[in-house]
Structures are given as C-alpha cells and as structure tokens.
Amino acid sequence: MLKIKNLKAGIAGKEILKGFNLEVNAGEVHAIMGPNGTGKSTLGNVLSGKEGYEISDGSALLNGVELLELAPEERAQLGLFLAFQYPVEIPGVSNANFLKASINEIRKSKGQNPISAPEFLKLLREKMELVEMQKDFISRSVNVGFSGGEKKRNEILQMAMLNPQLSILDETDSGLDIDALRIVANGVNKLRTPDNAFIIITHYQRLLDYIVPDFVHVMYDGRIVKSGDKSLALELEEKGYDWIKEEVEAL
Amino acid sequence: MSEQNQILEDLSSSDYKYGFVTNIEQEFAPKGLSEDIIRFISSKKEEPEWMLEWRLKAYKEWQKMEEPQWANVHFPKIDFQDIIYYAAPKQKKELNSLDEVDPELLKTFEKLGISIEEQKRLSGVAMDIVVDSVSVKTTFQKTLKEKGIIFCSMSDAIKNHSELVKKYIGTVVPIKDNYFAALNSAVFSDGSFCYIPKGVKCPMELSTYFRINAAGSGQFERTLLIVDEGGYASYLEGCTAPQRDENQLHAAVVEIIAMDDAEIKYSTVQNWYPGDKDGKGGVYNFVTKRGMCKGKNSKISWTQVETGSAITWKYPSCILAGDNSIGEFYSVAVTNHFQQADTGTKMIHIGKNSKSRIVSKGISIGKSQNTYRGLVKVHKKAENARNFSQCDSLLMGNRCGAHTFPYIEVDNRSAKVEHEATTSKISEDILFYCQQRGIDSEQAVAMIVNGFCKEVMDNLPMEFAVEARKLLNISLEGSVG
Ligand SMILES: Nc1ncnc2c1ncn2[C@@H]1O[C@H](COP(=O)(O)OP(=O)(O)OP(=O)(O)O)[C@@H](O)[C@H]1O
Ligand SMILES: [Mg+2]
C-alpha cells in the first residue's frame, strides 16, 4: 500500500530525513518509536505535504501514486490521514461543519454526491459513541477549548468518520489518561480492517499493549535503524535507546 | 482632446432614457463647487425654494469646516474643485448582448448566481423583453399604494412630498454634523425616500424596487426613511453585484427615524470597486448613516456587509432617544489587498431602559487595514441603559492590520456597558490541518470566514444572505497562495 524509498527531506537547510525506507501493506499496523527530534513528526508532515520542507531525494507511493507530487488535500482525498501530534484550534467552525466539509470534499474527489444530512448525523452519532465524545461537541468549534485529551480523541473521531486507507497517528497517546488511552486504542482496533493500515508513532510501549502492532521500527537520526515485532517495543521500554545508538554509531 | 470635447464624447456614448431635456450641454455642470453650481443643481431638479436655501446653508457651513483627519485611513488629498457635482444620471453604454460584457464581470455574476436577465440589466445590455422587472415593479407599487406607503426617489419626494421631506431632512444628520455630511447636504444628487404610515407593517423588503432602479443614484446619495407609530420596514441597500464606478469619492447620507413602537431594519451590502490588487483606483466611501429611535419602544437595526471600496469611513449609528428603545449594529467588514476600512457605530443612549447591541466582525487580508471604531454614550437621563459590544478581528497573513477603538462615555451610574474583543488568525497550520482533511485552502478560508461572520449574516434577510455569503467568498479569492 505504502512504499517509501530513500526519502531525504529537510527544513531550513537542515536535513532531517536521511534516506528513510518503509513498506506498509494493507491490514498491517506499524509502530515507529525513537528518541525526540529524530524526525518522526517530520515524516508525517512530509508524507502529508506540509509546506516548507525541501525534499531532495526519494519517493513515497500510496497504491502506486506518487504522494510527493500532490497537493496536501489531494493526498488526503486519496486516503492518507494524519492524526496530528498538536491538533490546531479552528475558531468559528463547528465540528459538524468541519467534518461534513471534509467528508464531502473527499467524496467530491471521487465523483460522489455530498452526504445527506440524515446519513451524516447517523454516522457521526455512531462514531462519537466509539470515542465516547459528549453531545455538545457537535456544535462546538473544532478543538477550541478542548482539553489535550479531547483534542486527541477528536483526531480519532475524524479518522473514524473519514475511514482512510492509511492513517498515521503521531503520538496520539501522549497526554492521555488511562481511560482515554483505552478509548483511543479501542477506536483504532475497531477501525482495523484487512484493507487499511496504520502507522503509529509513540514513545510508550503501553499503547502497544492495546493496539498490537505487526512491526515495530526504531527511528534514529532520520532513518529506521532497527525493525522487529512487538517484543522490540518491550526491549526498548526496558533498555532505553542507548544500545541502539551505540549499534548505529559502531557501523 | 480638449476637456470640452472629452465631456461631449463621454456624453454621446451615454444614453439618456431618464427623460431629461434635450439640451445636452446643460446636463453637465462644469467641474468644481460654488454657489452657482448649487443653484444649478437645484434648478435642474426643479426643487422648491426652501430646498435651495437649505443646500446653500450647507455649502456655507462646509466651507468653514476642515476635512477630518482622525480616521485610521490614509489617502491623497481630495481636490474638491476637481469633481463634477452634477451630471444627469449616468447610463452605462448600452450593449447588444452579454458577449460584449467584460468576461471577468460575467464570471462574478455567475458565482453570485445572478439570473441572466439581471446580469443584462446590471451590465447595461439592452433588454427588449423586460416582462420580469416591469410586472414586479407594478404589483409592488400597487401593494405599497394600498398601504399608504410612500416609496420613491428623493428627487420625486422633494417635489411631491415636500412637506414631509422638509420636516425630517437634516433632523438626524444635521447639516453641520461632519465635513462629508455638509458636502452631501449641499450637493446631494438623489437617493431613496420612504414613509411608512402609522400602524403599517411594510409587507415586503424595500429592496426589489431598489434593485430594479439600481442605475446609479450618483456619488452624493441621500436617503430618508421614516416609520411612523407602530410601523415596520425592512430596507435593503446596495447590490451584491460588482459596482464599478469611476467616481472616486462617494459621500452618502442616510437618515432614518422610528416613532413610537416602530421598527426599522436596514441592511447594506457594499461592494464598490476596491481598487486593483496593487492598490490602484477604487472608491473612497465616506458615509454618514444615522438612525433616530425617536419614539418609545422603537427599534433600529443596522446590518452591513462591507467588502468593497478602497477606503471606507462609515459609522451607522443610533440615537436612542425614546424610552425602552433598542439599537443594533451588526457588521462584517472585509479588507483585502490595499483596502482600508474605518468603520463602526455610535450608540447614544438618552431614553430610559434603552438597549444597544454591537456585533462587529473585521476580516483583514493581504496588506489591508481594518479598523473598528465605536462609541457607546450613556446620557445622564438614560436610567438602566444597557449595551453589549462584541468586536472580533480575523487576520490572514502577517502584513495586514486590525485595530479596535472602543470609546465609552457613561454619565449614569445605573448603566451596564460590556465590551468583548477577540483577535484570531488563520495561520498556515490551520490551513494545513484543513488540507490534511481534504479541504483545499481557499475553501478552508471560506469556511472559517463564514463561521466567523455567521452571527451577522444570520441577521440579513434571507434573499440577501445567500448572495452576501457568495460575495464574501468572492472577496476572499486569492487570499491564499
Ligand atoms: N521549522 C523547523 N526549523 C528547523 N528545524 C526544525 C523545524 N521543524 C523541525 N525541526 C527539527 O527537526 C528535527 C526533527 O523534528 P521532529 O518534530 O520530526 O522530531 P520527532 O521525532 O517527532 O520528535 P518528538 O519525539 O519530540 O516528537 C528536530 O531536531 C527539530 O528541531
Ligand atoms: Mg514528534
């Protein structure tokens, strides 16, 4: 589904992704871990087309389509979803309006008609239940005045509404209390199908107790330096990153 | 080409179907302003003597006044002797079909969803079958007549309802009120007059008429609306279609008066030419709009959507003289490119229990400057006066500016005056967030702006609101990228 090859990208003259490779197939969950500042969020931003990055090499194909050449909204319309590490607030735009606009733009790109109001409300109710969102949420402005945990849950709600092919969750677990963590993980698990895939960026093994990944990758200095199954996450939790850094530097 | 020839050239390409007399040269006053010019205007319009006297008095006052410098707008000095103060109503050059119309203009019409018939009318295409407008106009006038409502041009009112005009003109905006009001009083060209008799609720928006008669009221427009006891009127001014006009200076005066238990709703969409994206050209719009809640329990509500003009200087205000009277001001002002807007309101509380509400939404884009200036004044006698003001600014990019100047003067201790203000910004991060959800940045901006303005837009009469919303989106075009 996703093929990233030798991706090199930087910002403000500084190279951050230094030949990143990753292949994700339908039905898989990949976890990416790694020390602060190694380029995990940068990867999500570059894949989804945030402005300001210089891409010097490599490619990223989603179902055979080169993402790096598309506008950010086109990538989203193709089914790429990024759950932001720091979701922004959009004053004056209600969650309902925002979600409807989003769904309709994606439908439009596929030549489909806008969603009907009853259909939309039904879907919204169902998905709000999934992430245990309060009712007044519908009319509130996107993320405005939301607590940190509510913002993260809102990202999952949006993901559930849009039903993307490939979702990148950037530290969605950070700042969540135990209940919220369970809610978020539950949400993701319920959305897993053989046709979609997830990349989960996290610092904590505990999320991976709930969402069991097929692969765990360690990212360091702009690259994946080690891959394994979920036991790798346990090992990292126990030993930290120093041994990996040493391994890399020994090369 | 000499100036004389130029004038003749301009004239011959115009069309005078407004029934003016044949001597072409006399339809045009020479440039500049003097007593003679004012006499000329008044006689051309066949005005009664008192009207002329009034104009001359205004002219004398104007000469003693100084152009105001306090607004937060900047423009080269206006040469008032370089303006033509009287020209027979301008007719656009008549075209044979829409094919001859500027394609840019047509595109805008399309975006606004304006009907073909209306497109033709607005762009001056000859229409041989005007079934629509004619029939609408006749039924409209019949209804008004049955109700005893007077609704006509100011010129007609001065001739046919002289006593009413004489009684009310200048009572809300006195001649000496300000520099531009004085100028307008001296040289005003035309405008609308409306009188709603006691107990009559005007059953339709007083707009259909206006739109049918949209052909330029000139640059010094004068409007007077009076709603008598227990009456109601909703008046729509302006047109969402782009208004191109070579007249750089517009100085209108609008006076409205509400008697006991009367209510007036006045909605404006202002879409004059704002100048190009480099800041060249564009209309200077210096307007004095004021409502007088004269009677008890009266209510005046101003709603405005301002997207046009290079410079806007405008403060629709309410004098809340009657006990329990209510004044409202709802405003959206969008500035883009090099536009400058200094707009707001004044709420003058005199009557007991008078209430006012101000909701102002300023949107600045590009290199524009958007200023809210508001005064809430509570007089000694105004027991229990209440005001609530909400002034929100939305900025796009780093080169525009938003400014808020709320002035509050309270001389009665029982008054409650509340002011809230917010400033937000459509940042790159917000746009990227929307894009990541499949919404392109232009649509994202429109969505955010529409959300931001909703409270004001909801106040517009239905038929106007749809167009105003589209207009808003058009004025945002090119704001990202
Ligand atoms: N606009 C920018 N200008 C300069 N450097 C930047 C910019 N944005 C990111 N960086 C740098 O790029 C590097 C990678 O940042 P990134 O946010 O991708 O790290 P991360 O792996 O997500 O870290 P964390 O685990 O803390 O979220 C960091 O050193 C960061 O300081
Ligand atoms: Mg990060």
Side-chain angles (χ1 to χ4, degrees):
Chain A
M1 175 184 289
L2 178 71
K3 282 197 181 91
I4 307 173
K5 256 204 196 137
N6 193 34
L7 183 57
K8 291 184 182 167
I11 193 161
K14 179 179 151 194
E15 188 161 67
I16 297 167
L17 299 180
K18 303 175 179 173
F20 186 94
N21 294 291
L22 179 66
E23 200 162 315
V24 178
N25 296 307
E28 292 176 352
V29 173
H30 291 240
I32 297 182
M33 305 182 79
N36 294 129
T38 52
K40 301 181 298 297
S41 294
T42 302
L43 175 70
N45 288 341
V46 167
L47 286 181
S48 47
K50 186 169 182 172
E51 248 177 75
Y53 293 91
E54 303 116 36
I55 294 163
S56 50
D57 204 1
S59 82
L61 302 178
L62 181 66
N63 296 320
V65 180
E66 179 56 77
L67 288 178
L68 301 178
E69 285 164 5
L70 301 177
E73 64 271 16
E74 292 170 323
R75 305 181 196 201
Q77 288 158 4
L78 285 180
L80 177 70
F81 183 93
L82 175 64
F84 286 82
Q85 183 171 1
Y86 305 107
V88 297
E89 303 187 354
I90 312 181
V93 178
S94 72
N95 281 296
N97 271 344
F98 182 74
L99 279 168
K100 208 192 246 164
S102 176
I103 286 176
N104 283 338
E105 282 307 299
I106 291 170
R107 289 173 74 116
K108 194 164 92 191
S109 74
K110 295 179 181 147
Q112 296 166 345
N113 287 332
I115 191 167
S116 74
E119 204 184 335
F120 174 75
L121 280 177
K122 185 168 163 274
L123 187 69
L124 183 57
R125 241 179 250 128
E126 181 190 316
K127 302 301 181 187
M128 277 172 66
E129 222 162 89
L130 184 72
V131 293
E132 298 177 27
M133 201 66 99
Q134 289 122 334
K135 281 216 180 70
D136 73 334
F137 155 92
I138 298 183
S139 55
R140 283 173 66 183
S141 294
V142 178
N143 292 330
V144 176
F146 282 31
S147 75
E150 284 169 342
K151 286 182 185 171
K152 297 298 180 75
R153 266 194 287 159
N154 195 15
E155 295 293 287
I156 299 303
L157 175 69
Q158 292 178 12
M159 180 175 86
M161 291 292 286
L162 300 178
N163 194 20
Q165 278 251 300
L166 176 73
S167 303
I168 304 170
L169 276 57
D170 192 356
E171 295 197 28
T172 304
D173 55 331
S174 297
L176 292 184
D177 64 33
I178 308 284
D179 288 336
L181 185 73
R182 187 185 40 78
I183 292 169
V184 163
N186 227 342
V188 173
N189 285 333
K190 287 225 174 87
L191 294 170
R192 281 179 80 164
T193 70
D195 300 318
N196 61 20
F198 295 83
I199 296 174
I200 294 173
I201 297 169
T202 180
H203 286 295
Y204 306 105
Q205 128 74 21
R206 85 185 162 167
L207 175 69
L208 306 180
D209 283 341
Y210 294 99
I211 308 171
V212 183
D214 301 295
F215 302 92
V216 173
H217 309 280
V218 180
M219 190 166 170
Y220 180 65
D221 198 20
R223 260 180 303 236
I224 288 178
V225 292
K226 199 170 186 68
S227 298
D229 61 14
K230 79 180 202 335
S231 65
L232 178 58
L234 287 166
E235 200 177 350
L236 290 171
E237 182 100 335
E238 206 176 296
K239 301 203 277 187
Y241 290 114
D242 282 352
W243 62 281
I244 297 218
K245 291 183 193 173
E246 277 162 27
E247 263 185 37
V248 173
E249 258 123 58
L251 284 174
Chain B
M1 205 190 304
S2 77
E3 198 181 294
Q4 195 76 38
N5 284 341
Q6 177 63 52
I7 289 170
L8 281 173
E9 172 81 16
D10 288 348
L11 274 172
S12 53
S13 61
S14 322
D15 174 4
Y16 288 85
K17 66 174 170 197
Y18 276 70
F20 280 77
V21 269
T22 42
N23 190 339
I24 288 174
E25 271 138 313
Q26 282 183 19
E27 297 311 319
F28 233 93
K31 267 185 188 171
L33 189 50
S34 66
E35 259 195 49
D36 285 345
I37 293 284
I38 290 166
R39 284 177 196 283
F40 176 83
I41 294 172
S42 191
S43 81
K44 273 277 127 192
K45 296 167 87 66
E46 299 167 12
E47 290 178 349
E49 185 62 22
W50 69 265
M51 193 75 252
L52 172 64
E53 292 304 321
W54 197 79
R55 286 179 183 272
L56 289 173
K57 195 169 130 205
Y59 177 59
K60 288 209 184 78
E61 293 297 341
W62 179 72
Q63 282 179 304
K64 288 186 245 163
M65 296 166 94
E66 295 271 334
E67 211 182 316
Q69 301 296 334
W70 47 266
N72 193 24
V73 294
H74 305 276
F75 53 93
K77 220 172 155 41
I78 299 167
D79 181 357
F80 290 94
Q81 294 304 335
D82 194 36
I83 293 171
I84 292 167
Y85 288 89
Y86 183 81
K90 255 200 197 147
Q91 267 294 296
K92 289 166 196 148
K93 190 171 160 226
E94 195 151 287
L95 308 171
N96 294 317
S97 80
L98 276 177
D99 299 341
E100 294 171 38
V101 177
D102 177 6
E104 272 305 303
L105 202 60
L106 288 183
K107 246 194 262 167
T108 310
F109 284 149
E110 225 156 82
K111 287 178 195 156
L112 285 167
I114 291 174
S115 73
I116 295 287
E117 281 305 304
E118 183 135 4
Q119 287 188 27
K120 286 185 181 168
R121 188 181 59 72
L122 288 166
S123 47
V125 172
M127 288 191 289
D128 25 25
I129 323 161
V130 265
V131 187
D132 251 20
S133 19
V134 169
S135 61
V136 168
K137 193 170 154 182
T138 355
T139 44
F140 190 76
Q141 276 170 342
K142 200 170 142 233
T143 316
L144 291 183
K145 207 167 172 190
E146 280 166 11
K147 301 249 173 201
I149 294 170
I150 303 168
F151 187 38
C152 58
S153 72
M154 194 61 162
S155 306
D156 287 350
I158 291 168
K159 274 183 269 179
N160 304 329
H161 307 281
S162 179
E163 284 313 304
L164 273 177
V165 177
K166 192 175 174 183
K167 186 171 169 191
Y168 291 109
I169 194 169
T171 59
V172 187
V173 179
I175 284 171
K176 285 195 267 190
D177 189 79
N178 68 70
Y179 189 78
F180 294 107
L183 178 65
N184 176 288
S185 302
V187 302
F188 71 83
S189 33
D190 211 338
S192 306
F193 175 85
C194 177
Y195 175 78
I196 310 269
K198 273 184 198 172
V200 172
K201 314 253 185 242
C202 184
M204 60 257 280
E205 310 283 349
L206 290 171
S207 67
T208 324
Y209 184 93
F210 190 89
R211 289 190 58 146
I212 290 166
N213 287 276
S217 297
Q219 59 189 133
F220 301 102
E221 199 175 329
R222 184 103 197 177
T223 295
L224 179 57
L225 305 183
I226 304 134
V227 177
D228 219 326
E229 282 172 33
Y232 169 84
S234 170
Y235 184 86
L236 308 188
E237 172 203 67
C239 187
T240 47
Q243 302 276 293
R244 282 177 195 266
D245 192 316
E246 299 85 66
N247 292 322
Q248 189 147 46
L249 174 66
H250 278 244
V253 170
V254 175
E255 298 178 279
I256 63 183
I257 300 164
M259 304 300 193
D260 287 358
D261 303 299
E263 182 177 348
I264 305 174
K265 201 170 153 64
Y266 194 107
S267 313
T268 308
V269 169
Q270 187 266 112
N271 188 23
W272 295 106
Y273 182 52
D276 67 13
K277 60 182 191 317
D278 300 318
K280 270 211 209 86
V283 166
Y284 297 174
N285 193 27
F286 302 133
V287 191
T288 307
K289 287 186 164 172
R290 194 172 302 152
M292 168 86 85
C293 281
K294 202 166 180 173
K296 59 180 177 356
N297 309 319
S298 55
K299 179 175 174 184
I300 289 177
S301 181
W302 299 99
T303 305
Q304 61 173 29
V305 176
E306 303 273 323
T307 65
S309 295
I311 297 175
T312 303
W313 181 95
K314 176 180 176 183
Y315 317 91
S317 305
C318 294
I319 300 171
L320 302 169
D323 291 347
N324 310 317
S325 58
I326 298 173
E328 292 177 338
F329 173 74
Y330 293 93
S331 167
V332 168
V334 185
T335 51
N336 200 348
H337 305 308
F338 285 88
Q339 280 177 278
Q340 307 173 50
D342 193 305
T343 178
T345 184
K346 292 180 200 165
M347 292 291 174
I348 316 290
H349 292 257
I350 300 168
K352 294 190 185 79
N353 303 315
S354 51
K355 287 194 192 71
S356 62
R357 181 178 176 83
I358 297 170
V359 178
S360 160
K361 307 277 180 178
I363 299 157
S364 342
I365 311 167
K367 294 180 181 149
S368 65
Q369 296 295 326
N370 204 324
T371 301
Y372 169 81
R373 191 185 300 278
L375 168 68
V376 176
K377 190 177 168 75
V378 178
H379 273 263
K380 261 210 308 276
K381 292 187 292 184
E383 286 294 322
N384 285 316
R386 297 280 177 274
N387 161 266
F388 175 76
S389 305
Q390 173 83 48
C391 300
D392 299 324
S393 307
L394 186 66
L395 297 160
M396 269 202 67
N398 298 317
R399 288 174 306 176
C400 52
H403 318 271
T404 304
F405 301 104
Y407 304 95
I408 298 172
E409 296 169 17
V410 177
D411 292 327
N412 185 309
R413 289 223 202 139
S414 63
K416 261 196 201 141
V417 176
E418 292 172 76
H419 179 90
E420 283 176 18
T422 66
T423 301
S424 39
K425 203 175 149 181
I426 305 184
S427 62
E428 296 278 310
D429 284 344
I430 289 181
L431 291 180
F432 177 58
Y433 190 84
C434 294
Q435 287 176 297
Q436 213 305 303
R437 300 302 185 245
I439 305 164
D440 71 38
S441 45
E442 213 151 83
Q443 220 202 317
V445 169
M447 181 175 72
I448 294 165
V449 168
N450 277 314
F452 179 74
C453 302
K454 189 171 181 301
E455 194 180 348
V456 174
M457 300 306 249
D458 284 353
N459 260 293
L460 287 173
M462 270 286 277
E463 56 176 290
F464 223 27
V466 178
E467 282 182 30
R469 213 161 269 136
K470 288 183 194 159
L471 173 68
L472 200 60
N473 292 347
I474 289 172
S475 66
L476 298 171
E477 273 176 14
S479 60
V480 283

